[in-house]
Each structure stands twice: as structure tokens, then as C-alpha cells.
Amino acid sequence: MKEEDLVGKCPFTTAQKVLSGKWPLVILHILSEGPIRFNELQRRLPEMTHATLSRQLKQLEQNGLILRHEYSQIPPKVEYELSEIGWKFKPVLKELGKWGLEYIDYMYEKE
């Protein structure tokens, strides 16, 4: 996504564009626990293909929410972690999780 498509608009529209799709919130939640290697991240998201995870990580990195660290060693080692602005999203993730649990309870009560 181009930078001019993300900035200078309504904050809700910006957030929606940066976090759009099925996986960004889940990936950010996992990364909020600390740095993680690609393969471990993929193990924690078994329903996601390698290509999809790679694409999602690249998009989150381009949007500035995560950092990618590549280490020169054999076998190659790559770790991902939240960026400074990504860490500022952690309280939002916590509140979304809390709301999600309340919504699950609400839906069960409706039955």
C-alpha cells in the first residue's frame, strides 16, 4: 500500500487500511509476545500457507508495524518483532481480545 493511501485521512480509515485482511491482527497479537522466527510463527498459524504468511509479514513491515531481522548464519535465521509504532498497538490488541471474549459470551447467551 502506498504511503499516500495511508496518511492524511480519517484515523479509523487509516487503521482499517493498515490492518485489513484476515491475518494482521493475529500476527500482531503473536508478535506482541516478543520476537519470533518465521518457522515458529508459521507453526502457530497452521492454517496459513507459507506464501500468505510471507506476504502478510512483508505488508506489515512495509506499513511500519513490524521489523525483520536477518542474521548471517547457516542455516539462515530471520526474526520478526513489533516496531516502536507496533508496540503502541499492544494495548489496542489487549482491548480487542477482551471485547472478543465478551462478544463470544454475548453470542452464547443469545442461543
Side-chain angles (χ1 to χ4, degrees):
M1 191 171 305
K2 295 177 184 174
E3 188 174 326
E4 61 266 15
D5 292 337
L6 297 176
V7 296
K9 298 180 180 179
C10 168
F12 293 100
T13 302
T14 299
Q16 183 179 26
K17 285 183 178 186
V18 171
L19 301 168
S20 67
K22 183 177 179 179
W23 300 109
L25 288 174
V26 177
I27 293 169
L28 291 172
H29 168 68
I30 292 170
L31 292 176
S32 73
E33 298 168 0
I36 191 169
R37 293 178 71 170
F38 183 91
N39 287 337
E40 178 59 27
L41 189 53
Q42 189 166 27
R43 276 192 284 281
R44 297 203 37 201
L45 298 163
E47 59 280 355
M48 189 186 309
T49 66
H50 184 280
T52 299
L53 178 56
S54 181
R55 187 172 50 253
Q56 290 290 301
L57 290 169
K58 284 178 185 167
Q59 188 65 55
L60 288 168
E61 184 181 14
Q62 286 175 351
N63 290 342
L65 295 173
I66 67 171
L67 301 172
R68 180 181 189 272
H69 301 288
E70 189 172 335
Y71 300 92
S72 298
Q73 65 183 52
I74 297 179
K77 178 181 174 182
V78 176
E79 278 187 338
Y80 294 90
E81 67 176 325
L82 294 179
S83 65
E84 184 178 343
I85 193 71
W87 278 110
K88 290 181 179 187
F89 192 67
K90 188 172 179 173
V92 177
L93 288 168
K94 184 177 180 179
E95 289 300 314
L96 277 171
K98 186 174 155 184
W99 180 85
L101 289 172
E102 290 174 6
Y103 189 77
I104 290 168
D105 289 343
Y106 165 78
M107 293 304 289
Y108 279 127
E109 290 171 4
K110 274 183 61 172
E111 292 180 352

